[in-house]
Amino acid sequence: MEYNGDLNEIESHIVPVDAILPPELFLIPIKSRPVFPGIITPLIVPGGKFAKAVENSLNGNSFIGLVLLIDEEHEKNTEENIYSFGVVAKILKKVNLPDGAVNILINTVRRFKVESFVAVDPLLVAGVTYPEEESGAPKNTIKAMMRTLLVMTRELAQNNPLFTEEMKLTMLNVNEPGKMADFVCSILNIEKAEYQSVIESINLKDRIEKVLLFLKKEIELVSLQREIQENIQEKIDKQQRQFFLREQLKAIQSELGLKEDKYEKKYEKFLERLKSIPADPEVIEEVEREMDKFLYTDQNTADYNVIRNYLDILESLPWEPAPSRDMDLDKAKKTLDRDHYKLDDVKERILEFLAVKKLKPAEKGSILLLVGPPGVGKTSIAKSIAESMGRKFFRFSVGGMRDEAEIKGHRRTYIGSMPGKIITALRITKEKDSVLLLDEIDKLGIGMQGDPAAALLEVLDPEQNKSFRDHYLDLPFDLSSIFFIATANTLDGISRILLDRMEVIHLSGYITDEKVQIFSKHLWKKILEKNGLDQYGLQMDKNAIVTMIDHYSRESGVRGLEKQTDKLARKIALQIVKGEKYPKAIRASDLEGFLGVPKYTDDRMTKPTVPGTALGLAWTSVGGATLLIEAVFIKGKGGILLTGMIGKSMEESSNIALSYIKNFLGSEELFADKTIHLHVPDGATPKDGPSAGITMATAILSLALGKRIKLGYGMTGELTLTGEVLAIGGLREKVVAAKRVGIHKIIFPNDNKPQLDEIPDYVKKGMEFFPVSRFQDVVRLLFDEKSAALNREPKGSPAAKKGLKKRVQAKKARRK
């Protein structure tokens, strides 16, 4: 049938799609990249409420709104996680998928803006507006920008193999500037936020400018990618050419008898060296076997480099016996005295070792363990030992080490395998009798790859390390000439079996006088040189040094003192550079201006000034310390409440102390309706050990009697239920800690007298020591003896029975 009417009448009845766009849309959030207007494309909508939104849309006007998610990983409500601008699309066709999702064919029409949400549950429905596109520039400007866009897009299409012919054809057929900008942006690989910025660009000029910028970046990226591919291809061609030339060279060398190269000569010299030593036959045989494999292995295979690395490591090791050395004990003593103040017992042990080496050069290596708090000079002592012996020194830390292969190496079957730390150290020092320092040996760990401490057992045993086998070498190597030195802060973290192989030397903390000497002789000069102040003639008087030690660095070592001195030097350096006036002679009054408010301003926590307090002496991994133990009565049902991060042993000591004092006073009623709260200040620091027993008992007794103990005393000792005072450890560290805070009267177990004799006289100078065997001796020292209750022994104790027997005998004698 033909229609003979007027065509204008038909056109007047055609309604533009823009005119039928609904004011409300079902919103479908999409990820990664938007679908730009003017594109027909399939879209898969997951099952659930968004698939239901598609069904509802088809039952209505068939339009849906596509909006980008802001954060794909975020789990907040969808309405809070979408951009406000999106693209409206007409659903042309729908296909249901087996998993509940739907595959729809859509035709995107134009941009919209979300003005409000009509509904958010169960379906997301928004009220929208459709902004009109703005030119933003004259027609000629838009036309010029359009041409530029076409030229750059064609350039990208030519250099990018991912462009299909269909894309190129579409690009040529799009004439409208806005649609052209949208199409070009849709084929670029840019960030989601950049896509969204184009969607939100209603101004045509701004939109084309953004797309031109993104297009320029894409062209540069494609150009760079092409350049990289060309370089890779050139390298591949070059490698192939070198391979063929190398094969030709091998053939020519074989014909002329010139097959030998520099590595072969090197390894042959090494083999001659082993035979001249002579080395272990097993080593020589293995080197010969590896050399044969090396000669017949292609250089381009992985095995070639594995064999060469293995032979290189063997060649770099010191297989020769340790050289004979002339031991000069006077020189060694001067070296040790020059670098370290005091530490006489350590120096004496080193000189003893050197004397034995002088009398018997064939004597094998020794293992020393230097134990002490941080900053007392353990590592520097090891360096001085190496220098005094004329040996090479190598240090490596084993703290935190969890892999056995760090000590014994990896097997050659693994990729990237290498020898252990011991063999590596000898490769560097190239001497068989080097001094090796195993730092922080108390901090070894146990991991999934084995126990490094167990691996060290073979290394440190003189009977076993004569034929030590590293897993990588798999050959016997003599370690018995090495002088091993280990350092640790405490013995607690070291395996007992490993500790049995080492000779332990304890380094206690320094007292104030020692720190003053160390500062004057070593530290001050070192800090001035470090900060470039050695030419300015700076001096510090003794009073200032003592003030710095007492008020800014009371720790056992001198590392804190070094840090404070370094801080002081930096402040002076700043004054010099600024041209300000600075003190050439630093006095105690200047320190607060440079170092701030003193850290330690008083000693009130070292004076038991009220009943229920007593001062104990403790040993820690960072040196000695003082503990002011406090006790008070609180309402309760008896017993004892403990605070202050007290460990298991200390908790048991407190219960023993309470039981003893109850028996000592012979009065259960006093404690019947009261609980004793016992606290050890500095509650954030863990504390443990039995040596606070007599201190706790003294604090409880002082509380029960309501009497303050005599001032100036510090005490340490383990208490038993019968009142015996047992020996403790770390006496020197505790004495040093007491002297550091001004305590000069020390109560200690009588069984520790031999340890007291070992403490140098200059440390004990000005101090009084009171050995005790029973708690009754402590009471007589600390309390006023007017009270008869304090002069008796607890009922049932051996001493009480003995006293009762004497009184009975005396009474019988008087009757006769």
Side-chain angles (χ1 to χ4, degrees):
M1 177 188 291
E2 287 187 16
Y3 182 82
N4 296 322
D6 190 359
L7 291 175
N8 291 329
E9 184 180 348
I10 296 174
E11 291 176 357
S12 66
H13 286 81
I14 296 175
V15 181
V17 70
D18 292 358
I20 60 173
L21 293 176
E24 295 179 359
L25 290 173
F26 291 99
L27 298 185
I28 306 293
I30 56 177
K31 299 179 179 180
S32 303
R33 56 196 300 164
V35 183
F36 285 82
I39 294 176
I40 298 176
T41 182
L43 180 68
I44 295 178
V45 179
K49 64 178 183 179
F50 297 120
K52 189 176 179 182
V54 172
E55 292 288 346
N56 289 1
S57 177
L58 286 171
N59 294 332
N61 51 36
S62 298
F63 284 96
I64 58 171
L66 305 178
V67 286
L68 268 179
L69 282 171
I70 297 174
D71 187 355
E72 299 173 15
E73 303 297 328
H74 208 284
E75 296 184 358
K76 61 185 179 182
N77 297 331
T78 307
E79 67 273 17
E80 300 173 359
N81 195 26
I82 57 173
Y83 289 100
S84 59
F85 273 82
V87 177
V88 63
K90 176 77 173 175
I91 302 176
L92 304 178
K93 187 176 181 182
K94 186 198 79 163
V95 177
N96 293 322
L97 299 178
D99 59 352
V102 292
N103 190 354
I104 56 176
L105 183 67
I106 58 172
N107 179 18
T108 50
V109 180
R110 66 180 294 175
R111 292 164 170 78
F112 70 84
K113 182 180 180 182
V114 176
E115 297 294 345
S116 62
F117 289 97
V118 178
V120 295
D121 188 44
L123 303 178
L124 189 60
V125 182
V128 300
T129 57
Y130 303 94
E132 291 294 332
E133 190 172 82
E134 304 168 359
S135 175
K139 285 187 177 180
N140 287 338
T141 302
I142 298 297
K143 190 173 183 180
M145 295 175 71
M146 179 72 171
R147 289 183 178 180
T148 304
L149 186 64
L150 282 171
V151 171
M152 293 177 67
T153 307
R154 285 172 182 153
E155 181 183 350
L156 179 63
Q158 290 173 357
N159 293 328
N160 193 342
L162 299 178
F163 267 76
T164 63
E165 292 299 324
E166 183 180 355
M167 286 183 180
K168 295 177 182 177
L169 187 63
T170 303
M171 180 182 68
L172 294 173
N173 292 331
V174 176
N175 294 321
E176 295 182 24
K179 290 185 177 180
M180 182 63 186
D182 287 341
F183 173 76
V184 172
C185 187
S186 68
I187 60 178
L188 295 178
N189 187 17
I190 57 178
E191 297 293 330
K192 180 168 67 175
E194 295 173 336
Y195 283 127
Q196 183 64 27
S197 69
V198 175
I199 290 288
E200 295 178 0
S201 296
I202 304 302
N203 188 293
L204 185 57
K205 176 177 176 292
D206 292 343
R207 189 191 311 169
I208 298 175
E209 284 180 347
K210 287 180 181 179
V211 175
L212 285 173
L213 177 62
F214 300 150
L215 188 57
K216 179 66 176 175
K217 291 180 180 178
E218 187 73 10
I219 291 172
E220 291 175 354
L221 186 62
V222 170
S223 176
L224 180 60
Q225 180 182 354
R226 189 172 182 180
E227 184 180 343
I228 292 171
Q229 289 176 342
E230 290 174 355
N231 290 338
I232 293 172
Q233 189 62 41
E234 285 179 8
K235 289 180 180 178
I236 292 173
D237 294 340
K238 184 178 180 181
Q239 287 177 353
Q240 289 178 341
R241 184 168 175 271
Q242 287 177 347
F243 172 76
F244 289 120
L245 290 174
R246 196 178 292 112
E247 291 299 315
Q248 291 176 356
L249 181 60
K250 280 185 179 180
I252 293 170
Q253 287 178 338
S254 179
E255 289 291 329
L256 296 176
L258 301 175
K259 188 173 172 61
E260 189 176 51
D261 61 12
K262 62 178 181 179
Y263 291 113
E264 293 167 24
K265 290 180 181 179
K266 175 182 175 182
Y267 301 146
E268 283 186 1
K269 288 182 180 178
F270 171 49
L271 186 58
E272 291 173 2
R273 175 183 142 208
L274 289 177
K275 290 178 179 178
S276 65
I277 295 175
D280 190 307
E282 184 183 349
V283 177
I284 296 174
E285 183 180 342
E286 180 65 21
V287 171
E288 288 177 339
R289 186 185 300 116
E290 292 295 323
M291 283 182 63
D292 288 340
K293 287 164 61 178
F294 177 76
L295 291 173
Y296 295 105
T297 302
D298 185 1
Q299 294 183 6
N300 299 298
T301 62
D303 285 345
Y304 178 85
N305 288 323
V306 171
I307 298 168
R308 199 183 81 185
N309 288 339
Y310 180 68
L311 288 171
D312 282 342
I313 289 173
L314 289 178
E315 190 271 338
S316 63
L317 288 173
W319 295 96
E320 293 80 5
S324 58
R325 302 183 188 277
D326 183 23
M327 297 295 175
D328 189 343
L329 295 184
D330 291 334
K331 179 183 176 183
K333 188 175 186 308
K334 288 178 181 177
T335 302
L336 294 171
D337 289 338
R338 178 198 69 198
D339 296 338
H340 299 89
Y341 181 73
K342 295 299 182 181
L343 303 176
D344 296 330
D345 50 350
V346 180
K347 296 175 185 176
E348 185 179 357
R349 171 63 187 91
I350 296 165
L351 293 175
E352 288 170 0
F353 172 78
L354 297 182
V356 172
K357 288 294 290 182
K358 189 174 183 69
L359 294 175
K360 191 178 179 181
E363 177 66 18
K364 295 303 179 182
S366 181
I367 300 100
L368 291 183
L369 174 59
L370 305 176
V371 182
V376 295
K378 299 184 294 295
T379 303
S380 60
I381 286 173
K383 291 181 182 178
S384 298
I385 291 173
E387 184 182 347
S388 64
M389 297 173 67
R391 298 189 184 189
K392 289 188 178 179
F393 174 80
F394 187 87
R395 170 197 171 273
F396 64 91
S397 176
V398 295
M401 190 180 288
R402 294 179 176 271
D403 191 350
E404 175 196 357
E406 293 282 349
I407 303 296
K408 300 193 72 172
H410 304 82
R411 301 190 185 279
R412 274 195 292 158
T413 52
Y414 301 138
I415 296 174
S417 58
M418 61 184 71
K421 295 286 188 183
I422 308 297
I423 296 298
T424 302
L426 294 177
R427 284 185 65 196
I428 295 171
T429 61
K430 297 191 180 301
E431 287 185 0
K432 218 169 190 176
D433 61 347
S434 304
V435 176
L436 297 191
L437 175 64
L438 310 178
D439 218 354
E440 308 292 354
I441 200 170
D442 57 327
K443 298 173 183 64
L444 276 171
I446 299 178
M448 298 291 291
Q449 292 79 28
D451 184 1
L456 277 174
L457 294 176
E458 181 185 356
V459 174
L460 298 180
D461 190 346
E463 298 302 321
Q464 297 183 49
N465 62 16
K466 294 177 183 177
S467 56
F468 171 72
R469 282 183 180 268
D470 184 272
H471 287 157
Y472 182 83
L473 300 185
D474 200 21
L475 291 171
F477 194 91
D478 187 5
L479 303 180
S480 61
S481 299
I482 298 175
F483 187 5
F484 288 102
I485 303 175
T487 67
N489 295 128
T490 174
L491 298 178
D492 297 339
I494 305 176
S495 161
R496 297 300 99 181
I497 302 173
L498 183 59
L499 189 62
D500 183 58
R501 285 161 167 76
M502 298 183 282
E503 183 174 345
V504 180
I505 296 179
H506 291 276
L507 283 78
S508 304
Y510 298 112
I511 61 175
T512 301
D513 292 342
E514 290 176 320
K515 287 187 177 183
V516 170
Q517 294 296 327
I518 293 170
F519 184 92
S520 303
K521 294 182 178 180
H522 304 285
L523 200 55
W524 182 238
K525 182 180 178 183
K526 174 185 173 182
I527 295 298
L528 291 180
E529 290 178 355
K530 176 184 174 183
N531 293 278
L533 299 174
D534 47 330
Q535 58 185 336
Y536 291 94
L538 296 175
Q539 299 293 330
M540 183 180 288
D541 63 31
K542 186 175 180 180
N543 188 32
I545 299 171
V546 173
T547 302
M548 183 185 291
I549 293 168
D550 289 342
H551 291 222
Y552 293 93
S553 58
R554 283 187 183 175
E555 73 287 338
S556 301
V558 293
R559 192 167 292 149
L561 178 60
E562 182 176 355
K563 290 179 182 177
Q564 294 296 330
T565 311
D566 203 17
K567 179 180 179 180
L568 173 68
R570 290 196 303 270
K571 298 281 187 183
I572 295 175
L574 181 61
Q575 290 181 339
I576 292 173
V577 172
K578 285 184 173 181
E580 298 175 357
K581 186 178 180 181
Y582 63 93
K584 286 198 172 183
I586 301 167
R587 293 184 292 273
S589 57
D590 300 325
L591 293 179
E592 188 166 340
F594 288 114
L595 303 178
V597 178
K599 295 181 181 178
Y600 312 100
T601 55
D602 57 44
D603 56 354
R604 66 189 183 90
M605 293 308 290
T606 63
K607 291 182 178 180
T609 55
V610 296
T613 57
L615 184 68
L617 304 177
W619 179 91
T620 69
S621 61
V622 294
T626 56
L627 297 177
L628 183 68
I629 294 180
E630 304 171 326
V632 295
F633 279 126
I634 59 175
K635 189 175 181 181
K637 298 181 180 180
I640 190 165
L641 171 65
L642 302 174
T643 54
M645 285 285 279
I646 293 175
K648 186 69 176 177
S649 296
M650 213 165 176
E651 181 181 346
E652 292 173 351
S653 295
S654 66
N655 287 306
I656 292 170
L658 178 59
S659 298
Y660 175 78
I661 295 301
K662 284 181 179 180
N663 190 30
F664 178 81
L665 294 176
S667 175
E668 283 285 346
E669 293 78 11
L670 181 62
F671 302 93
D673 57 348
K674 299 173 184 175
T675 296
I676 294 178
H677 184 172
L678 193 145
H679 176 66
V680 185
D682 193 9
T685 304
K687 312 165 192 75
D688 203 6
S691 63
I694 65 171
T695 315
M696 290 178 168
T698 301
I700 295 172
L701 180 59
S702 172
L703 174 67
L705 298 175
K707 293 183 178 182
R708 187 187 75 183
I709 67 172
K710 296 177 183 178
L711 296 178
Y713 285 88
M715 66 194 82
T716 179
E718 181 178 353
L719 180 67
T720 69
L721 282 172
T722 57
E724 299 292 333
V725 180
L726 303 183
I728 45 82
L731 181 61
R732 174 169 175 165
E733 287 82 358
K734 294 174 180 179
V735 171
V736 169
K739 190 168 186 178
R740 194 183 301 126
V741 297
I743 302 297
H744 296 96
K745 296 179 181 179
I746 308 297
I747 299 174
F748 71 103
N750 190 60
D751 295 339
N752 282 109
K753 272 187 176 181
Q755 287 76 34
L756 181 65
D757 295 336
E758 294 176 359
I759 300 176
D761 291 336
Y762 68 88
V763 175
K764 297 185 287 188
K765 185 179 179 181
M767 303 188 75
E768 294 182 67
F769 296 90
F770 303 92
V772 294
S773 298
R774 295 188 51 75
F775 184 72
Q776 189 69 21
D777 301 330
V778 180
V779 174
R780 293 189 185 99
L781 287 169
L782 297 179
F783 290 92
D784 186 358
E785 296 188 12
K786 292 180 181 179
S787 174
L790 298 182
N791 291 320
R792 69 165 182 258
E793 293 285 349
K795 288 183 179 180
S797 68
K801 290 178 180 178
K802 188 176 179 181
L804 178 62
K805 186 177 180 181
K806 285 183 178 180
R807 288 195 297 273
V808 171
Q809 290 174 348
K811 192 173 182 180
K812 287 181 179 179
R814 285 196 301 272
R815 286 177 179 174
K816 290 179 180 180

